């Protein structure tokens, strides 16, 4: 049987998303089982992680399997390019690492969200895609600069639990300030699954902080086909008005991908781009979501994050349930 990877929410159909989230809902609250007894998941983190790492480890243990966790300190610098003359810093080619690890584990999770300064390169997800190409076991995207599908599925699960039906519900995905340039992964993946669900999506950001144009155009087409819509606005107050969900998230701009200093200068004038009580008061009693970690009182205020409409910890908890469902589908 050919293996199946989980690399992007763009690869999923609406039926596949619904099936996976239905399974996640069924396993949520059930006692741990042994459906993956004897299975091993290798987790490779080239960047720090809290929720992704712990939720996958918990998911695997509760299903009867176990994890091997490797951080950047444990891994050689890898070369993803084909036909490379490896006389630089890379100690090993991805093909050799992937083929070796495939002999040890039943699946691989890869977080490779480093920012090289070249958006055209980073959007290709070269390290992740090279692992998927050469590994003979399923490869799972744990976040790149371009996508974070596991986070987006947990987000969608949380929305379904709170609102039940998502078609036509008003989601505002709002850019928020942050002192560091952040990955576009969660933003892109959420746009893809929310569009697939037929939501009425408002993408709000200051001028200059546009998302990848291919993702945006495909999102608009997908949303329209599913009975929803996707629009872009550059006014935070207009974007929040009447929203049923406000999803706060910072992301780096492809426009400034090669110039982090320039991006930092531009963001000095954008400190009002945060979610506060006054903004939430203009919504339709909206839920507040954020994928975490969050810079409190920069991206969103304490009052909002700790308020009764905040579901940020439900989002985090649902990571483990979605992970269990995903692992069951890939490995059972």
């Amino acid at each position: 049987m050919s293996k199946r990877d989980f690399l992007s929410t763009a690869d999923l159909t609406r039926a596949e998303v619904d099936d996976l989230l239905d399974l996640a809902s069924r396993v949520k609250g059930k006692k741990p089982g042994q459906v993956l007894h004897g299975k091993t998941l290798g987790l490779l983190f080239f960047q720090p992680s809290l929720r992704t790492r712990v939720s996958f480890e918990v998911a695997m243990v509760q299903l009867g399997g176990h994890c091997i966790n490797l951080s950047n300190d444990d891994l050689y610098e890898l070369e993803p390019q084909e036909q490379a003359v490896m006389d630089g810093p890379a100690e090993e080619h991805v093909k050799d690492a992937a083929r070796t690890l495939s002999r040890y584990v039943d699946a691989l999770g890869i977080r490779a969200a480093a920012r090289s300064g070249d958006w055209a390169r980073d959007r290709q997800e070269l390290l992740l895609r090279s692992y998927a190409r050469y590994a003979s076991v399923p490869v799972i995207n744990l976040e790149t600069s371009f996508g974070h599908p596991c986070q987006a599925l947990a987000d969608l699960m949380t929305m379904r639990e709170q609102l039940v039906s998502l078609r036509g519900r008003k989601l505002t995905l709002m850019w928020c300030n942050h002192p560091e340039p952040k990955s576009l992964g969660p933003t892109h993946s959420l746009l893809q699954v929310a569009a697939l669900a037929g939501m009425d999506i408002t993408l709000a950001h200051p001028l200059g902080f546009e998302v990848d144009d291919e993702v945006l155009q495909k999102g608009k087409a997908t949303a329209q086909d599913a009975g929803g819509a996707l629009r872009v606005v550059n006014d935070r107050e207009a974007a929040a008005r009447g929203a049923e969900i406000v999803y706060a998230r910072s992301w780096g701009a492809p426009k400034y991908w090669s110039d982090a200093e320039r991006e930092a200068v531009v963001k000095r004038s954008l400190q009002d781009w945060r979610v506060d009580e006054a903004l939430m008061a203009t919504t339709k009693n909206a839920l507040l979501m954020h994928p975490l970690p969050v810079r409190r009182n920069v991206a969103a205020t304490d009052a909002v994050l700790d308020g009764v409409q905040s579901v940020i910890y439900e989002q985090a908890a649902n990571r483990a349930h979605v992970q269990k469902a995903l692992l069951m589908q890939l490995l059972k």
Side-chain angles (χ1 to χ4, degrees):
M1 294 179 61
S2 61
K3 65 161 182 141
R4 183 177 182 188
D5 300 316
F6 183 70
L7 305 181
S8 172
T9 47
D11 299 332
L12 301 175
T13 66
R14 173 65 185 272
E16 288 172 327
V17 171
D18 287 342
D19 285 347
L20 196 148
L21 295 185
D22 288 344
L23 178 57
S25 296
R26 290 197 298 273
V27 301
K28 184 174 182 177
K30 288 192 174 182
K31 293 182 179 180
Q34 296 294 310
V35 295
L36 296 185
H37 176 71
K39 301 286 188 180
T40 300
L41 172 66
L43 298 175
L44 279 62
F45 285 98
F46 293 91
Q47 285 81 40
S49 174
L50 174 64
R51 278 150 291 275
T52 300
R53 174 176 173 173
V54 174
S55 60
F56 263 105
E57 289 201 33
V58 167
M60 203 64 185
V61 168
Q62 290 188 358
L63 293 174
H66 64 280
C67 289
I68 294 175
N69 219 308
L70 297 174
S71 70
N72 202 29
D73 292 337
D74 304 311
L75 301 166
Y76 295 116
E77 186 165 344
L78 297 173
E79 173 58 63
Q81 295 282 7
E82 271 299 310
Q83 305 298 320
V85 177
M86 292 178 56
D87 56 358
E91 185 71 21
E92 185 169 24
H93 198 281
V94 173
K95 69 169 66 177
D96 300 317
R99 289 168 175 169
T100 300
L101 288 170
S102 296
R103 268 66 172 180
Y104 300 147
V105 300
D106 299 286
L108 283 167
I110 314 287
R111 169 166 285 187
R115 180 168 171 161
S116 73
D118 183 345
W119 177 245
R121 175 186 173 86
D122 288 347
R123 74 183 304 281
Q124 296 178 53
E125 304 174 310
L126 289 175
L127 188 60
L128 171 75
R129 301 280 171 170
S130 294
Y131 263 104
R133 178 179 180 182
Y134 294 113
S136 58
V137 298
V139 171
I140 302 169
N141 181 357
L142 306 183
E143 189 182 8
T144 66
S145 294
F146 194 76
H148 196 350
C150 295
Q151 177 66 59
L153 289 176
D155 295 338
L156 203 68
M157 180 179 179
T158 307
M159 294 179 195
R160 290 204 329 175
E161 290 176 338
Q162 299 293 326
L163 301 178
V164 185
S165 174
L166 296 183
R167 184 174 180 178
R169 306 306 287 265
K170 295 185 181 300
L171 164 66
T172 294
L173 176 50
M174 182 168 293
W175 184 91
C176 296
N177 211 338
H178 194 287
E180 302 294 332
K182 301 293 289 181
S183 158
L184 280 120
T187 306
H188 282 167
S189 294
L190 180 58
L191 280 176
Q192 289 163 344
V193 294
L196 204 59
M199 299 187 76
D200 183 354
I201 309 163
T202 298
L203 177 63
H205 59 75
L207 289 172
F209 286 85
E210 292 76 17
V211 301
D212 186 83
D213 189 61
E214 182 180 344
V215 173
L216 180 63
Q217 298 309 320
K218 286 185 177 179
K220 288 181 177 179
T222 299
Q224 185 175 11
D225 290 344
L230 170 55
R231 66 174 182 142
V232 179
V233 300
N234 305 119
D235 184 303
R236 59 189 285 273
E237 286 83 7
R241 201 170 298 125
E244 295 173 277
I245 302 168
V246 173
Y247 193 108
R249 166 70 188 174
S250 180
W251 60 85
K255 178 179 179 179
Y256 303 118
W257 207 255
S258 61
D259 193 348
E261 290 185 7
R262 175 60 180 163
E263 180 174 319
V265 170
V266 172
K267 289 197 290 189
R268 290 175 189 168
S269 64
L270 301 174
Q271 294 180 13
D272 61 326
W273 276 82
R274 65 174 184 172
V275 180
D276 54 24
E277 290 174 283
L279 190 73
M280 291 297 288
T282 68
T283 69
K284 192 177 179 180
N285 201 28
L287 300 170
L288 185 280
M289 301 182 71
H290 190 289
L292 300 178
V294 59
R295 293 291 187 113
R296 284 176 172 262
N297 303 306
V298 177
T301 62
D302 283 335
V304 167
L305 291 166
D306 297 327
V308 296
Q309 292 301 109
S310 173
V311 293
I312 58 175
Y313 303 124
E314 286 81 354
Q315 279 177 267
N318 281 336
R319 292 294 304 276
H321 307 304
V322 165
Q323 260 76 289
K324 282 186 278 189
L326 179 63
L327 290 166
M328 289 170 67
Q329 287 196 349
L330 293 177
L331 296 179
K332 188 174 177 182

